[in-house]
Amino acid sequence: MKLRKSEEPLPGPAVALILVLCVSGMRAETARYSVPEEAERGSFVANIAKDLGLTGEELLARQARLVPEGEKQYLELNQHTGDLVVREKMDREELCGQSEPCL
């Protein structure tokens, strides 16, 4: 059975290019914020959605989340509004010991 031109499979490089173009719209963003030591639980830090130029709905659709480096989750992200708030008080000595600077 001979394939008509419209039914011919795409060549490998064309498939790879289409895949790259589709995936290129998805990317990870990194943001850094300063939080005062001993900031109270619920203290506002920043609006992630605004800083990334997104709406709350877009943030939710992209399944934005915070990835902690340690065991504790010190910050909390409201995916509906984009607000980043303090979830648990941070203690500089507990986090960094005597190292300077503490990041």
Side-chain angles (χ1 to χ4, degrees):
M1 174 171 134
K2 186 170 179 154
L3 295 175
R4 292 179 297 178
K5 189 165 186 109
S6 63
E7 294 177 354
E8 291 177 6
L10 291 172
V15 173
L17 177 62
I18 292 170
L19 181 61
V20 167
L21 291 175
C22 291
V23 173
S24 66
M26 296 180 268
R27 64 182 193 270
E29 294 285 343
T30 302
R32 293 181 186 255
Y33 298 94
S34 295
V35 179
E37 184 179 0
E38 303 285 332
E40 294 294 322
R41 186 170 200 255
S43 297
F44 178 81
V45 176
N47 186 290
I48 300 279
K50 180 179 173 187
D51 292 347
L52 295 174
L54 302 171
T55 65
E57 293 81 25
E58 290 172 317
L59 203 63
L60 183 61
R62 293 175 183 221
Q63 299 177 349
R65 64 189 182 280
L66 300 176
V67 180
E69 289 186 10
E71 294 178 18
K72 292 184 180 179
Q73 181 86 28
Y74 290 101
L75 301 172
E76 184 174 4
L77 175 64
N78 181 325
Q79 290 182 323
H80 298 283
T81 64
D83 288 344
L84 182 65
V85 297
V86 174
R87 180 177 177 177
E88 186 174 328
K89 275 189 177 184
M90 295 175 234
D91 181 3
R92 185 202 172 291
E93 286 80 21
E94 181 183 320
L95 290 169
C96 301
Q98 296 302 316
S99 64
E100 287 288 336
C102 180
L103 301 174

